[in-house]
Amino acid sequence: MRNDKPNLIVDLSFQFALQVIDFVETLNSQNKKVIPLQLLKSGTSIGANIWEAQNAESKKDFIHKFKIAAKEADETAYWLKLCQASKHYPSPNKLMEQLTSVQKVTSKIISSSKSSSNHQIDESSN
């Protein structure tokens, strides 16, 4: 059962996805086609995987879903950097800042989850 208490990374990734949708709508209104579609897929997938991780079947499953979210965040960074480097696209600087926040929290969660998982393995082998 999903825990509906406030959750920083769930909230950050959800808000980020909403901002991606808005940015993609702006790109679509400028008749941009390929990058908006890729950005929409990867940018919203981050939060979807984090959301799904909240109901993980195990610690290993939880970490795996967060690793997928991290990969999607890396792909999203690529598309945003392309927009940033192109003179034909609007600046995604605000999105880049938000993505950096999501990536930092995601990375910390993966790292601390791995540590606690390794700690549990160490204790059970004693």
Side-chain angles (χ1 to χ4, degrees), residues 8 17-18 28-29 37 40 54 64 75 77 81 101 110 114:
L8 175 64
L18 290 173
N28 285 336
S29 72
L37 181 58
L40 183 65
Q54 305 311 299
H64 177 71
E75 180 181 341
K81 285 181 182 188
S101 295
I110 292 169
K114 283 181 176 180

Side-chain angles (χ1 to χ4, degrees), residues 1-14 46-59 61-66 69 105-106 109 113:
M1 178 174 244
R2 179 166 308 284
N3 180 351
D4 288 329
K5 291 180 183 174
N7 182 315
L8 175 64
I9 192 58
V10 169
D11 294 343
L12 278 175
S13 60
F14 188 83
I46 300 164
N49 281 289
I50 289 170
W51 187 277
E52 188 177 343
Q54 305 311 299
N55 286 322
E57 295 175 9
S58 65
K59 180 72 84 168
D61 185 38
F62 179 86
I63 293 168
H64 177 71
K65 287 179 181 9
F66 263 85
V105 175
T106 300
I109 290 170
S113 295

Side-chain angles (χ1 to χ4, degrees), residues 17 39-51 68-69 72-73 76:
L39 180 58
L40 183 65
K41 288 178 180 182
S42 65
T44 57
S45 182
I46 300 164
N49 281 289
I50 289 170
W51 187 277
I68 293 170
E72 293 293 340
T76 301

